[in-house]
Amino acid sequence: MNITRENVDALNAVVKVDIAKEDYSEKVEKILSDYRKTANIPGFRKGHVPMGMVKKQYGKAVLVDEVNKLLQDALNKYLTEEKLDVLGQPLPKTQDEIDWDAEGFSFEFELGLAPEFEVNLTSKKAITQYNIIADDKMIDEQIERIQKQYGKLISQDTVEKDSEITGTYTNEEKEIDNTVTLTLDKFKGKATAKQFVGAKVGDVIVLKTKGLYDDEHELMHALKLGHDEVHGLDIEVSFTITEINKRELADLDQELFDKLFGKEGVTSVTELKAKIKEDAEKQFVQQADQKLLNDVTEYLVENTKFDLPAEFLTKWMQTAGEQEMDEAQAKEEYEKSEKSLRYQLIEGKLIEENNIQVTMDDIKNHAREMIKGQMAQFGQMNPSDKELDDIAARVLGNQDEARRISEQLISQKLLALYKEKANLKVKELSYEKFVKEVYGDK
C-alpha cells in the first residue's frame, strides 16, 4: 500500500491511496474459505461447496468490503501519523466506475486543512468587565417585596393605587374567561390604572388589549391564551372586580427573619440587607461573566484573521448532515455556520496553547456540587458522600449530560484565562444601570 499527498495550497490537499493485491488477497481468501465451511447451497453438502462457486457468489462483495476497510484504516492512520489538522472529513474524489477485477486500486481524497494563525488576547481597546452591585434602591425594593409576600391581606371597599384586585377577564368572541389577581403597577399605561382607582366590587372595567402590558407574556397569563393568540391582539375585554384587598406589610422582626433564613440565620435589618446584597451579587456575577465571555468571543472572532477552505467545507456540508443538500443550500449553511467554526478553531488553539484540561475528577466534582445545590433547595442540607456519588454516577451515565458539564468547565477555564490575559477595564454599576447599558431596556 502506498499513500501520497499533494498540497494544492495552504488550505487544501489531495491524498492518493494505492492498494495492491497483496494488501487484501490473503484476508479475502480467508473470509471466502470460512464462507465455504458454512455455506448452505442446494445440491452440495455443508462444507463441500466448490471454492469457485463461493468466489462467484460472494467474491466481489467480500473484496469490496475488505478494500473499503483497508482504505478507511489506512487513511485514518495516515492523518494521525502525519498530524494533519483537517476540517470536516476527507471527501472521495469522483472517479470512473471501479474495475474490481483489476489487480490493484487507486483512490483519491480531498482534504480541507485547518489554517495557521495566532491568537492575540490583548485588544487595543479594552473590553468592559462589569462588576454589578446591588444598590440601596434594589435592596429596599426586595425587602418591600418580602414584606408584601409575608404580609396580611386587609379587605377594602374601593380600589386604591396599591390594592390587590381579584377579578375575571372576559370576551365572548374569543371565549376568554379567566380569573386573576393583579396590581395596578403591572399595566403599561397610567390611564389604565386610573380606570381602576375608586372602583368597587362588582364594577366592570372595559380595557383594550393592545398596549395593556409591557410584556406579551403578562397578557398571555392574564387572558390564558397562547403566544400566537396574543401576538398583535387588539380587542376589548371586560374585567369584573370580585375582590379588593390591601396588603399590610409584615414586620421586619425575628419571626420573619427565621422564616426566611432559618433559626438565628439573620438577627437584624442590617444583617438582612447584607444577606440580600450578598445573594443578589452572587447571581450578578454569573450575568457579568456571561457578558464578558460573549464580548471576548466576539472580539476574537472579529480580530483573529485567517482564511478557511470555504469551497471544500461547502462541498463537505452537502453530504455531512442527515439530509443531503444541493450546492445552494450548502453554501447558505456554510455562511450561517462560518462564525461558529472560526470560534471553534480559535477556542481549540487557546485550549492547546494554555494547556486547558478537564479531567473526569473535575466533571465528577462539578456534578456533586450541582446536585448538592439542588438538594439544598428542597431542604436536604447535608447529603452523605455516598448519596452524592450515586446520584452523580447516574447523571454522568448520560453522555449528553457529561459532555454538557465538560463544556461548561472548559468555558469557566477560558473565562479565567480571559480575566488573566485579556485587556479589560472594570466598570462598577447597579443592576438597573447594567441592564439599560447592555440591553437598552429595563
Side-chain angles (χ1 to χ4, degrees):
M1 185 183 298
N2 186 42
I3 303 180
T4 56
R5 181 174 88 246
E6 177 190 351
N7 289 331
V8 178
D9 54 37
L11 299 173
N12 294 275
V14 175
V15 169
K16 185 179 180 183
V17 183
D18 294 318
I19 298 178
K21 186 174 182 179
E22 56 266 25
D23 295 322
Y24 60 80
S25 57
E26 187 177 328
K27 188 71 181 288
V28 169
E29 287 295 324
K30 184 180 183 309
I31 291 172
L32 290 174
S33 179
D34 290 341
Y35 274 10
R36 186 186 178 209
K37 293 174 187 176
T38 58
N40 191 1
I41 297 177
F44 298 94
R45 285 186 297 140
K46 193 172 184 179
H48 291 271
V49 179
M51 180 57 88
M53 184 171 286
V54 172
K55 285 185 176 181
K56 185 176 181 181
Q57 189 161 344
Y58 300 109
K60 185 170 285 187
V62 171
L63 172 64
V64 171
D65 190 43
E66 284 308 305
V67 168
N68 278 327
K69 285 180 184 176
L70 268 174
L71 186 60
Q72 289 304 318
D73 289 347
L75 191 57
N76 291 335
K77 185 179 178 184
Y78 176 79
L79 296 178
T80 302
E81 289 178 348
E82 293 292 309
K83 297 180 180 177
L84 290 177
D85 192 0
V86 298
L87 302 178
Q89 294 293 331
L91 285 177
K93 290 190 76 172
T94 304
Q95 62 187 98
D96 296 332
E97 190 172 338
I98 299 170
D99 179 8
W100 291 104
D101 294 322
E103 292 289 299
F105 311 98
S106 290
F107 303 91
E108 290 186 335
F109 293 85
E110 296 177 61
L111 302 182
L113 304 177
E116 293 289 333
F117 60 92
E118 297 295 325
V119 181
N120 180 15
L121 277 171
T122 311
S123 57
K124 289 181 181 178
K125 183 181 178 183
I127 297 169
T128 301
Q129 179 183 359
Y130 290 99
N131 178 27
I132 310 169
I133 60 169
D135 59 7
D136 291 342
K137 178 172 177 280
M138 168 175 269
I139 293 168
D140 290 342
E141 286 174 351
Q142 178 62 15
I143 289 174
E144 186 176 342
R145 280 193 290 271
I146 291 169
Q147 286 181 283
K148 283 182 178 179
Q149 182 182 346
Y150 288 90
K152 296 176 183 176
L153 284 177
I154 300 172
S155 180
Q156 291 180 294
D157 294 327
T158 58
V159 175
E160 298 176 8
K161 65 178 183 178
D162 56 353
S163 296
E164 288 187 14
I165 309 147
T166 300
T168 304
Y169 280 110
T170 57
N171 177 284
E172 193 173 332
E173 182 188 349
K174 294 288 184 180
E175 297 182 349
I176 295 167
D177 187 356
N178 189 44
T179 299
V180 295
T181 297
L182 54 83
T183 53
L184 299 182
D185 59 326
K186 293 293 184 183
F187 292 121
K188 185 175 181 179
K190 291 181 180 178
T192 303
K194 282 182 181 178
Q195 286 183 256
F196 281 84
V197 175
K200 299 179 179 181
V201 170
D203 286 355
V204 178
I205 314 291
V206 178
L207 305 165
K208 284 189 173 293
T209 56
K210 187 177 181 181
L212 188 59
Y213 293 99
D214 278 316
D215 189 344
E216 281 188 349
H217 289 89
E218 294 275 4
L219 190 60
M220 287 167 57
H221 169 71
L223 306 184
K224 207 171 183 180
L225 294 176
H227 182 270
D228 291 341
E229 293 174 293
V230 301
H231 185 64
L233 185 66
D234 187 7
I235 61 172
E236 285 188 344
V237 289
S238 297
F239 185 88
T240 305
I241 299 173
T242 55
E243 191 176 337
I244 306 167
N245 294 297
K246 183 173 184 177
R247 191 169 288 272
E248 185 180 79
L249 299 183
D251 291 332
L252 294 174
D253 55 17
Q254 195 60 49
E255 183 182 353
L256 178 61
F257 301 155
D258 290 348
K259 283 179 184 176
L260 295 170
F261 303 106
K263 194 72 174 172
E264 302 296 320
V266 164
T267 58
S268 68
V269 173
T270 301
E271 287 182 16
L272 173 65
K273 289 184 175 183
K275 179 67 175 169
I276 290 172
K277 183 178 177 68
E278 179 189 356
D279 290 347
E281 289 179 356
K282 279 182 185 176
Q283 297 298 318
F284 297 159
V285 167
Q286 295 176 14
Q287 292 187 55
D289 282 351
Q290 187 59 54
K291 172 63 177 165
L292 179 60
L293 197 60
N294 293 346
D295 288 346
V296 176
T297 297
E298 189 72 26
Y299 160 76
L300 289 172
V301 171
E302 294 299 323
N303 292 277
T304 307
K305 303 298 182 184
F306 53 83
D307 292 325
L308 290 170
E311 188 177 338
F312 168 83
L313 289 170
T314 302
K315 192 187 298 184
W316 170 69
M317 283 181 171
Q318 287 184 251
T319 57
E322 292 182 5
Q323 294 183 333
E324 288 196 13
M325 304 179 190
D326 60 29
E327 188 177 348
Q329 289 172 320
K331 187 175 181 181
E332 184 182 351
E333 185 63 28
Y334 172 73
E335 288 171 354
K336 284 194 292 186
S337 60
E338 183 186 3
K339 195 171 182 179
S340 172
L341 176 57
R342 285 181 177 279
Y343 182 67
Q344 285 175 31
L345 291 170
I346 294 167
E347 185 184 79
K349 193 168 186 68
L350 286 171
I351 288 169
E352 182 184 1
E353 288 181 347
N354 294 279
N355 195 28
I356 292 174
Q357 297 177 3
V358 171
T359 66
M360 198 61 215
D361 283 342
D362 291 334
I363 294 172
K364 284 179 182 176
N365 289 335
H366 184 83
R368 280 170 54 96
E369 289 304 311
M370 181 179 71
I371 292 159
K372 199 172 180 180
Q374 290 171 348
M375 293 176 79
Q377 291 177 4
F378 294 96
Q380 295 174 268
M381 304 306 294
N382 295 299
S384 67
D385 286 340
K386 185 177 184 310
E387 279 182 291
L388 291 172
D389 287 339
D390 288 347
I391 298 172
R394 288 199 296 273
V395 169
L396 298 179
N398 182 326
Q399 289 187 347
D400 289 339
E401 186 63 20
R403 183 169 55 251
R404 187 190 68 77
I405 291 173
S406 176
E407 290 170 354
Q408 194 174 27
L409 289 172
I410 287 285
S411 287
Q412 288 177 5
K413 294 190 178 214
L414 283 169
L415 182 66
L417 175 71
Y418 299 157
K419 287 181 177 180
E420 178 189 349
K421 295 189 175 182
N423 180 16
L424 306 178
K425 62 175 181 182
V426 177
K427 184 171 185 177
E428 185 174 282
L429 72 182
S430 69
Y431 180 72
E432 184 178 0
K433 288 181 179 177
F434 168 77
V435 171
K436 285 181 178 178
E437 181 165 318
V438 172
Y439 304 108
D441 210 306
K442 187 172 179 180

